[in-house]
Amino acid sequence: MVEADAIKTAPIEIKSGAQQEQLVGKQLVTQLYVMLRTSCLYDFDNDSFRSRFAAFRDELHSALKLTDTVEIRSVDGYLFFGDVRLRVDLDGYLAARYLQELFDYLKISGFEFLRGITDDTLLKFFGIMSQYTQRDDKEHREQMRQLLGGDNLPCFSLVPVTTLQSSLEDPKTIKEKKALAKQCFFGAINKVGEIVSHATADRPLPVSKVKRTVQILVDQLLSDETYLMELTALKDFDDYTFAHSVNVSIYAVAVGLRLGMPRPQLAELGFAAIFHDIGKTRISKDLLNKPGKLNSSDWEQMHEHPVHGVKLIGNSMTLDGYSARAMLVAFEHHKNLDGSGYPYIDRTCELNLYSRIVAICDFFDAITSRRRYQSNDVGKETAFSEMMRLSASKFDPLLVKVFLNMIGFYPAGTLLLLDTGELAIVISTNPEHIARPRVRIIANTSGLLDQPFVVELIDHSGEHDFKRNVLRSVSPEKYGIRISDFILAEE
Ligand SMILES: [Fe+2]
Ligand SMILES: [Fe+2]
């Protein structure tokens, strides 16, 4: 964990409109994080505590000059300052993540500070917050909620959990969005097919078409990522390598989104991700499809695909931001953080952010798609623990956290057995509670349902009880279920 001291904030330069709110919101989130950490570490009469408290209080009062109420809340995995969605960059990620975990722990959407709040109230607030332990302890949580809630702290309140926006959509909109996502996903797969056939036949790559395709993917992900992410769970394609490039691109853009990348950067990232394995078109099909273990000469050839990729891109695209990123990613996506991996180079240099993102997305998609091609069945849980194990030596640990948090405890397409005896397929992660995703119920104890229906596993039946609980994830083969039939079914 990075210590609070490591995060420095510059004084606020007042700008106008949304830009100003964005800046104030980000500064306030950082200062709040620093204070929450500080209150767990220092006594209130300590000099560090006092100076950081003064910095936070000044920040809050500056914000309260703009508006009567300052609200910091988390909705659908994003942090909001009032109505402004904060663009969280890598530096601000720890602060944002800490607040989101705190809100999850307290089962709230966020905090609200009102104009007129006194130092006394703020000190009481941090006094209560110093008891935050991140242990999942129901009694402790209730105690903290009581101390923070009601009228105990004047000019402060807890913001209740906001219903997920998507659950309020009408079925017609859902149907349209699903259809659009499918069109976009399969359109992208066709485009990858085109890239591969052009590359194999040494024809110029259809660069502008791919740019347009990626821009559509980015727009889809920006407007609603649920349905595209769900489609990444489809694994039974005739030629999975096409879907692999599209999946890696979708995952990479979704990670970029969480890092606050602007649209043009997201498009470059998605483009580079689509081309990451283009060098494999220079490897013989027999080797690519070779069943069983590869020998050392096979591996030698396989390890050449990053260099083939760079040559192919360099020879068939004009040099611009897109092609430069694509070459970097093609070259580096099998290089590890500690310098190991391939291609071997005689010196260590820092891997590009885009390559670090693509490496994680590539690994996850490859390892969770192995089942169909290899005899060993690698479940998502295994993929997760493997990624955690490899983070730091192979992957950027912070990006692994962003990725795993995005994919959720049960990724889209996972089949779950519920305590009601029902079988459900995960549709999307619930950022408020990663172990309680949104699912489609497809069977009950009497068998498959004619009309599968969607539920949120976060739904309660009483004050404390949930309507449905996950017993475990199960293998679709065991139940004779083809996940793709349900993902592609019309609503
Ligand atoms: Fe590769
Ligand atoms: Fe790959």
Side-chain angles (χ1 to χ4, degrees):
M1 172 66 91
V2 170
E3 286 305 321
D5 271 342
I7 294 195
K8 304 262 188 284
T9 57
I12 291 175
E13 180 198 334
I14 299 296
K15 298 189 176 178
S16 60
Q19 199 184 4
Q20 184 185 359
E21 285 181 275
Q22 184 69 233
L23 199 66
V24 174
K26 278 160 90 167
Q27 296 276 41
L28 193 61
V29 163
T30 305
Q31 292 286 10
L32 179 57
Y33 165 68
V34 169
M35 260 319 288
L36 289 168
R37 299 271 302 138
T38 303
S39 50
C40 294
L41 298 171
Y42 296 105
D43 289 334
F44 283 17
D45 53 3
N46 177 288
D47 284 348
S48 293
F49 180 91
R50 284 212 297 258
S51 65
R52 289 171 195 174
F53 176 78
F56 168 76
R57 181 202 44 211
D58 294 349
E59 204 81 64
L60 179 64
H61 288 306
S62 304
L64 283 168
K65 278 183 193 152
L66 295 176
T67 162
D68 289 345
T69 309
V70 160
E71 195 180 72
I72 298 170
R73 66 200 161 97
S74 165
V75 181
D76 286 6
Y78 295 106
L79 214 55
F80 283 75
F81 171 65
D83 291 328
V84 176
R85 187 176 124 189
L86 296 178
R87 289 193 300 271
V88 179
D89 49 24
L90 260 185
D91 288 341
Y93 179 74
L94 281 178
R97 196 63 221 124
Y98 185 89
L99 282 184
Q100 284 170 325
E101 278 171 5
L102 169 65
F103 296 155
D104 284 351
Y105 174 80
L106 291 171
K107 298 208 177 301
I108 56 170
S109 189
F111 293 145
E112 189 178 57
F113 301 91
L114 270 66
R115 192 177 283 171
I117 193 163
T118 61
D119 282 6
D120 193 36
T121 302
L122 287 174
L123 285 169
K124 274 190 198 154
F125 165 75
F126 287 117
I128 300 165
M129 293 317 301
S130 67
Q131 299 161 24
Y132 171 49
T133 60
Q134 292 177 300
R135 265 184 294 118
D136 193 17
D137 177 341
K138 221 172 179 180
E139 231 171 86
H140 182 247
R141 170 181 29 249
E142 281 314 311
Q143 204 184 355
M144 281 187 76
R145 282 174 59 105
Q146 268 182 19
L147 289 168
L148 292 165
D151 293 327
N152 291 338
L153 299 177
C155 296
F156 171 83
S157 53
L158 301 176
V159 183
V161 169
T162 313
T163 316
L164 290 178
Q165 189 68 43
S166 43
S167 64
L168 299 174
E169 289 168 357
D170 69 63
K172 199 171 152 239
T173 323
I174 293 177
K175 203 173 170 178
E176 280 164 8
K177 282 187 175 172
K178 220 176 154 181
L180 255 173
K182 269 196 235 173
Q183 205 182 338
C184 170
F185 182 75
F186 289 106
I189 289 183
N190 284 338
K191 213 55 73 204
V192 175
E194 235 177 274
I195 297 172
V196 170
S197 68
H198 279 233
T200 315
D202 271 331
R203 279 188 286 146
L205 298 176
V207 177
S208 16
K209 277 190 192 171
V210 180
K211 278 185 189 166
R212 272 200 301 279
T213 304
V214 172
Q215 271 152 9
I216 296 170
L217 277 182
V218 170
D219 288 342
Q220 272 283 309
L221 286 163
L222 278 168
S223 81
D224 188 339
E225 64 184 31
T226 313
Y227 304 102
L228 265 185
M229 290 294 263
E230 189 185 8
L231 288 164
T232 61
L234 290 174
K235 305 287 181 190
D236 38 2
F237 288 93
D238 287 341
D239 196 337
Y240 182 69
T241 51
F242 298 176
H244 170 66
S245 299
V246 176
N247 287 351
V248 173
S249 183
I250 291 172
Y251 291 143
V253 173
V255 170
L257 252 171
R258 279 158 179 78
L259 299 179
M261 282 187 182
R263 197 173 172 279
Q265 269 188 42
L266 291 174
E268 282 182 2
L269 173 60
F271 183 87
I274 281 236
F275 283 100
H276 79 279
D277 269 340
I278 185 73
K280 282 194 177 170
T281 54
R282 289 289 181 268
I283 311 265
S284 81
K285 274 213 162 161
D286 291 345
L287 176 56
L288 289 176
N289 300 324
K290 184 174 173 178
K293 285 193 172 170
L294 302 185
N295 61 35
S296 58
S297 131
D298 295 337
W299 275 120
E300 224 170 272
Q301 289 182 58
M302 283 296 275
H303 285 180
E304 282 172 7
H305 81 267
V307 174
H308 289 316
V310 176
K311 285 183 188 163
L312 247 164
I313 296 167
N315 289 336
S316 56
M317 293 187 204
T318 18
L319 188 64
D320 60 6
Y322 280 88
S323 57
R325 303 273 190 207
M327 280 192 275
L328 259 177
V329 168
F331 187 75
E332 292 182 337
H333 73 278
H334 289 291
K335 289 294 294 174
N336 300 328
L337 223 55
D338 60 6
S340 61
Y342 61 92
Y344 173 75
I345 34 174
D346 199 14
R347 60 194 165 87
T348 46
C349 52
E350 201 184 315
L351 300 174
N352 183 270
L353 172 65
Y354 288 42
S355 309
R356 283 181 277 147
I357 295 174
V358 169
I360 292 169
C361 304
D362 179 40
F363 181 84
F364 177 79
D365 191 65
I367 202 169
T368 52
S369 311
R370 251 187 221 172
R371 180 179 313 192
R372 193 164 174 270
Y373 302 95
Q374 299 183 8
S375 49
N376 51 335
D377 178 342
V378 177
K380 273 126 190 168
E381 290 88 347
T382 319
F384 278 22
S385 51
E386 192 63 4
M387 287 170 81
M388 290 303 289
R389 191 179 68 77
L390 294 170
S391 79
S393 65
K394 189 172 166 70
F395 302 127
D396 182 326
L398 193 57
L399 290 175
V400 170
K401 272 192 190 174
V402 177
F403 184 84
L404 294 184
N405 186 57
M406 170 186 95
I407 289 291
F409 199 65
Y410 300 114
T414 308
L415 184 66
L416 300 176
L417 177 63
L418 308 181
D419 61 354
T420 49
E422 294 166 311
L423 283 174
I425 297 175
V426 176
I427 298 178
S428 59
T429 309
N430 176 355
E432 309 287 338
H433 200 314
I434 57 164
R436 295 195 165 274
R438 169 190 253 213
V439 299
R440 183 176 287 117
I441 307 280
I442 59 159
N444 59 23
T445 44
S446 317
L448 284 177
L449 302 179
D450 291 334
Q451 300 261 294
F453 57 97
V454 174
V455 296
E456 303 282 352
L457 291 184
I458 195 82
D459 286 349
H460 286 78
S461 58
E463 202 186 337
H464 297 296
D465 297 326
F466 292 104
K467 280 187 187 164
R468 295 173 169 87
N469 296 293
V470 177
L471 286 181
R472 60 181 179 277
S473 63
V474 289
S475 152
E477 287 81 12
K478 189 179 155 195
Y479 290 87
I481 285 169
R482 257 191 16 175
I483 298 290
S484 53
D485 291 347
F486 294 92
I487 292 178
L488 295 174
E490 298 296 331
E491 294 283 307

